[in-house]
Amino acid sequence: MAKFGINDILNAKTKAAGAPTAAEGYKEIYLSPYEVKAAQENTHQSLENIEELADSFLHVGQEQPTVLARIKGEYFIIDGHRRNAANILNLERGHKEYEKVLYRYMDMSEAMYELRLLAGNGYTQPLTAYEKTRLVERTKAALMRAKEEDGLEIQGKMRDLIAAMLNESSTNVARMESINNNATPEVKEQLKSGNMGITAAYEAAKLPPEEQKAIADKVAAGEEIRAKEIAAKVAEKTAAKAAEDAEQAQRDYEKQQEESDKEIEKAERKREEAEEKAKEAELAAQHAKVLREWVKESVSAATKAAADAVLKVSETDTPQKDWNNTEWVVFTAREIMQQADKVSEDDLYLLHEIMLRCQTEPQDAAGGGRADSGTNEH
């Protein structure tokens, strides 16, 4: 199968005036006019004055053969729909010489056939606004398909290529693409009927579907609606949408700020809590350090004082007025231990705490006064 490039498509516009030759890759073949198939969507469907053309073939012959594409063994008309129709008419009139007619054909893909079909017809003939719009749609679809299926290389923007193929500006092609993509069937129908121009259809395509339908209904009813009126309505809608978007953006910003403030506040609370815990840990460390130093400095003296108190108290069962706090504690502990079954674990912890505190109190006569009190109680 022959390969095509963009130049082949563009050059087809200039070659459309004459029949393709074998040097251009086309081959000659004789077929029945009934064997070839018309394009499903030809740029111009009109087959007027076929009888006049058929008569001309009978008198002077057919100068240019119909051009075909062979796709998967079947023949489709690229250029010459009216010529083929005239051949069929002559055959139906009884002219058997038209049972086999000369054609030129080339093997190609469906996508390339579509491009050749458009190049041989649509790009070389005057078209209505709707036909141009439809031609843009068909050309773009064919180019994309040829790119995917046939490896057609497209350099630059596809829109610019389509504009060159249609002899249109890229701006007009963009408008027609917008109509193809966004216009409702009602608007396209009014464009097709000639009641709306490309500019009006383009402006209408910017509106929501229900508003497009309302405009198309008015146009169909004979009401004249200018493109400027539609553009003004679009501008009003655009301004309202811009204001709405601005308000939404402001709301989103305020919400983000609020969430950001909350996150900052949350982070500040965590920082304060961390600082408070650090202070508590530092204070606890200081207390532990003081306790370790106190134990280190006083453990020997405390042990000796406790031992002396035990020896002194163990020699008597009678409390003495001159006992210091440690001796009173030892005596009391001995009395408690004699009734150990009546003492709880908490009591023992409390007793231990009392003994520790007593070791830090001064051993003076004031202890004797407390001893007297203790003696009276016992």
Side-chain angles (χ1 to χ4, degrees):
M1 184 179 297
K3 281 206 165 189
F4 299 99
I6 291 301
N7 289 334
D8 296 307
I9 306 303
L10 294 175
N11 291 339
K13 293 193 298 182
T14 58
K15 295 176 181 177
T21 65
E24 295 168 351
Y26 283 87
K27 302 176 183 178
E28 293 185 349
I29 190 172
Y30 282 88
L31 298 170
S32 166
Y34 292 113
E35 289 184 68
V36 301
K37 299 181 179 181
Q40 292 183 353
E41 183 181 358
N42 194 21
T43 308
H44 284 286
Q45 297 289 350
S46 176
L47 295 178
E48 298 177 354
N49 302 321
I50 296 300
E51 185 174 353
E52 181 179 340
L53 182 60
D55 291 340
S56 173
F57 285 177
L58 291 175
H59 289 92
V60 299
Q62 181 178 337
E63 296 181 1
Q64 297 180 4
T66 299
V67 182
L68 307 176
R70 186 167 68 178
I71 305 172
K72 298 177 182 178
E74 295 185 301
Y75 295 91
F76 295 86
I77 299 175
I78 295 176
D79 181 58
H81 286 80
R82 297 182 73 253
R83 278 169 271 167
N84 200 66
N87 288 332
I88 291 176
L89 178 57
N90 281 333
L91 186 59
E92 291 175 348
R93 286 172 169 178
H95 298 280
K96 295 185 179 297
E97 63 270 27
Y98 287 93
E99 289 181 351
K100 293 290 183 180
V101 180
L102 176 65
Y103 294 90
R104 295 190 185 278
Y105 78 94
M106 182 185 289
D107 289 304
M108 60 185 69
S109 66
E110 292 181 5
M112 284 301 179
Y113 165 59
E114 174 76 349
L115 288 172
R116 283 282 179 166
L117 178 67
L118 297 174
N121 294 274
Y123 305 149
T124 59
Q125 301 176 15
L127 302 175
T128 66
Y130 174 79
E131 287 171 341
K132 284 185 178 181
T133 303
R134 177 67 182 133
L135 188 59
V136 167
E137 185 176 26
R138 291 176 63 188
T139 302
K140 183 176 181 179
L143 286 171
M144 292 179 65
R145 186 172 180 182
K147 181 179 179 181
E148 294 175 2
E149 297 179 3
D150 301 296
L152 179 67
E153 294 184 2
I154 299 176
Q155 297 180 350
K157 295 181 179 179
M158 184 174 293
R159 179 180 297 169
D160 294 338
L161 173 60
I162 295 173
M165 295 168 73
L166 271 66
N167 290 325
E168 286 283 348
S169 68
S170 295
T171 300
N172 282 342
V173 171
R175 288 185 172 191
M176 288 184 271
E177 284 184 329
S178 178
I179 294 171
N180 289 326
N181 296 331
N182 304 311
T184 61
E186 294 83 3
V187 169
K188 290 180 180 179
E189 183 60 32
Q190 293 310 309
L191 178 65
K192 184 177 182 179
S193 64
N195 295 329
M196 292 182 73
I198 285 183
T199 302
Y202 168 68
E203 294 295 340
K206 299 177 183 178
L207 296 171
E210 61 275 9
E211 295 188 30
Q212 290 192 48
K213 185 178 184 304
I215 291 174
D217 289 343
K218 290 181 180 180
V219 173
E223 185 175 342
E224 184 178 359
I225 300 180
R226 298 180 179 275
K228 289 183 178 180
E229 297 176 22
I230 303 175
K233 192 170 186 178
V234 171
E236 181 182 346
K237 286 279 184 182
T238 303
K241 183 65 167 57
E244 182 182 343
D245 291 344
E247 291 177 1
Q248 183 62 46
Q250 181 63 27
R251 288 193 294 270
D252 292 342
Y253 173 76
E254 292 174 354
K255 184 177 180 182
Q256 290 176 358
Q257 284 294 107
E258 183 179 350
E259 292 176 353
S260 178
D261 292 342
K262 288 181 179 179
E263 289 297 323
I264 293 174
E265 184 179 348
K266 184 178 179 182
E268 184 65 20
R269 285 198 302 269
K270 287 184 177 181
R271 185 188 64 78
E272 292 175 355
E273 291 173 359
E275 289 180 354
E276 186 66 26
K277 288 181 179 179
K279 289 179 181 179
E280 292 176 358
E282 183 180 358
L283 184 59
Q286 291 176 354
H287 290 168
K289 181 180 180 181
V290 171
L291 181 59
R292 287 194 301 271
E293 291 176 351
W294 178 84
V295 170
K296 182 178 179 181
E297 294 175 358
S298 61
V299 64
S300 297
T303 302
K304 185 176 184 303
D308 291 343
V310 171
L311 289 174
K312 186 174 183 178
V313 172
S314 63
E315 295 175 355
T316 179
D317 292 333
T318 304
Q320 304 296 317
K321 292 182 180 181
D322 60 345
W323 281 356
N324 59 31
N325 287 343
T326 302
E327 291 163 349
W328 271 106
V329 170
V330 171
F331 177 79
T332 303
R334 189 183 68 181
E335 294 296 318
I336 292 173
M337 293 304 294
Q338 290 175 359
Q339 299 183 31
D341 59 333
K342 299 178 181 179
V343 179
S344 68
E345 184 178 356
D346 290 339
D347 294 331
L348 294 176
Y349 278 120
L350 178 59
L351 178 60
H352 179 266
E353 179 68 21
I354 292 172
M355 291 183 70
L356 288 176
R357 290 182 180 181
C358 289
Q359 293 173 15
T360 62
E361 294 182 4
Q363 309 297 318
D364 53 20
R370 287 191 294 274
D372 289 340
S373 174
T375 303
N376 293 336
E377 290 175 1
H378 289 293

